[in-house]
Amino acid sequence: MSNQQNMLTMSCIKNCTQPENKSLIIHSVVSAFGSGTLKEENCDGEIRIFEKNLMNNSTNYILILVQFDRKNTLAVIYEQSDDNCIVFSVLGRYYEIINVDFILEPISKNTLILFCEQVNMATGIYEANDFLKGYLWNGNFYSQVLNTPFNIKAYWNNAWINCNSQNKLWEKAQQNCNFTWNNVDKIVIYIYRAQEYSVSNVEESINLPEDNTFEIVQSRFVVETYSWSEKWNCFILYEGRHKSTGEDVAIIHDLNNYVYSLVENVSPQYVICTSNNEHLVISQQQLELI
């Protein structure tokens, strides 16, 4: 994705708060996405810059995030050559990125980029989700190798779904997460999920009740271990076999551990990755652990 025309200088990047430099950086990042991705006339974005040695070489790379609002953040990696920086890889467009971490992968010696993305849904204050997303160089480009729900806070009222419902109480599902990692032999990410399902004691309320009116119905603490797999080129929970095809698969999400499974009983399901890099949802009955 290198573009000799789309170049920034290190002095411009290091002095990104200066109005002229800020404008150059924003236009460069927008240009990296191609025309029509975002209107360039809105150049009042917040810039964040991370300098890292991302690859197993002596080259310096610069990750630039430009946030225009809570629904538009662009992420681009530049490669430094002397005082010039050229577009190296476009990571993507996100909502709000609230945290960035870097983890060295001990085998390839390349660096995993971890984003914590906060997504404010169209329902406004009634639902807000965070996602933990990871990116690793695959030899040709940065590919997404991890995407899992993180912090979640959602409110709803069954009367919205069915006006004839006798249940008109407000309900809440909440998940608070933390994560740690080690990278001695390979990257292993441990995600700790504290989950609660609660119901408000305020009845027949049109407006969202205060948080202190919600009483916990069910709660639990879940620990998930995501391990980097060179075989599957992504982070996996474990491996299994698809009974219908006999094919070995990687389990990348255990839907039984999602906070919404506290709300209602559903048959156990998993998200698997096949050898063709196809992601499928299958039931527990279709999966044999190996």
Side-chain angles (χ1 to χ4, degrees):
M1 292 187 181
S2 295
N3 183 350
Q4 298 292 338
Q5 303 292 323
N6 193 354
M7 186 182 296
L8 295 169
T9 64
M10 279 302 296
S11 57
C12 174
I13 290 173
K14 288 182 180 295
N15 296 283
C16 63
T17 57
Q18 296 180 3
E20 182 179 354
N21 291 338
K22 180 178 180 180
S23 179
L24 287 171
I25 292 170
I26 291 175
H27 279 85
S28 175
V29 168
V30 172
S31 177
F33 276 77
S35 59
T37 302
L38 194 69
K39 293 181 179 179
E40 292 193 38
E41 58 264 25
N42 179 10
C43 288
D44 188 21
E46 176 190 343
I47 297 173
R48 282 185 285 169
I49 292 173
F50 304 85
E51 288 187 50
K52 291 289 177 180
N53 184 357
L54 297 175
M55 305 294 191
N56 185 19
N57 55 37
S58 58
T59 304
N60 190 47
Y61 296 89
I62 297 93
L63 168 63
I64 299 181
L65 305 179
V66 178
Q67 180 178 317
F68 295 93
D69 54 49
R70 291 189 174 183
K71 293 184 179 180
N72 290 290
T73 300
L74 306 183
V76 176
I77 297 174
Y78 289 75
E79 181 181 27
Q80 181 184 355
S81 177
D82 296 324
D83 188 49
N84 295 321
C85 299
I86 303 168
V87 173
F88 177 73
S89 185
V90 174
L91 287 187
R93 180 175 178 176
Y94 308 90
Y95 281 70
E96 183 177 12
I97 296 176
I98 58 176
N99 196 49
V100 181
D101 287 289
F102 300 90
I103 306 175
L104 178 68
E105 201 285 300
I107 298 175
S108 68
K109 303 300 182 182
N110 294 332
T111 297
L112 172 74
I113 302 173
L114 271 183
F115 288 156
C116 188
E117 178 190 24
Q118 188 170 83
V119 179
N120 289 315
M121 310 302 285
T123 48
I125 64 169
Y126 299 119
E127 186 172 8
N129 299 327
D130 294 351
F131 293 90
L132 192 63
K133 297 184 175 183
Y135 298 84
L136 195 61
W137 184 252
N138 66 7
N140 297 301
F141 56 89
Y142 266 92
S143 62
Q144 188 176 86
V145 293
L146 178 70
N147 185 8
T148 184
F150 207 58
N151 296 322
I152 296 172
K153 199 172 192 179
Y155 304 87
W156 68 93
N157 192 314
N158 281 291
W160 293 354
I161 305 168
N162 180 6
C163 61
N164 296 319
S165 173
Q166 296 302 307
N167 180 5
K168 300 185 186 298
L169 295 176
W170 285 88
E171 301 173 66
K172 179 176 70 170
Q174 183 167 343
Q175 174 175 274
N176 295 316
C177 289
N178 285 302
F179 72 94
T180 59
W181 72 79
N182 71 57
N183 58 342
V184 178
D185 298 315
K186 62 180 178 181
I187 302 176
V188 180
I189 298 175
Y190 307 95
I191 301 180
Y192 310 96
R193 308 182 190 272
Q195 302 173 338
E196 293 179 353
Y197 163 56
S198 54
V199 177
S200 173
N201 56 28
V202 176
E203 298 184 10
E204 305 292 337
S205 174
I206 298 175
N207 299 317
L208 179 64
E210 296 292 331
D211 257 0
N212 59 14
T213 68
F214 285 84
E215 299 175 355
I216 297 174
V217 177
Q218 288 195 69
S219 65
R220 68 182 176 190
F221 187 76
V222 175
V223 180
E224 290 190 312
T225 302
Y226 280 89
S227 301
W228 168 247
S229 171
E230 285 190 285
K231 174 182 176 181
W232 298 100
N233 195 38
C234 65
F235 282 86
I236 70 171
L237 292 169
Y238 36 82
E239 291 185 285
R241 182 171 292 113
H242 197 315
K243 291 181 180 178
S244 300
T245 64
E247 178 187 7
D248 288 351
V249 297
I251 291 82
I252 57 176
H253 295 295
D254 184 345
L255 300 183
N256 317 298
N257 288 337
Y258 279 22
V259 64
Y260 294 109
S261 66
L262 290 178
V263 179
E264 57 181 347
N265 292 323
V266 293
S267 58
Q269 292 184 313
Y270 304 89
V271 179
I272 62 169
C273 179
T274 70
S275 57
N276 297 325
N277 201 31
E278 184 179 14
H279 291 183
L280 303 172
V281 178
I282 66 172
S283 67
Q284 188 178 56
Q285 289 74 21
Q286 294 175 288
L287 182 67
E288 176 186 350
L289 298 183
I290 57 175

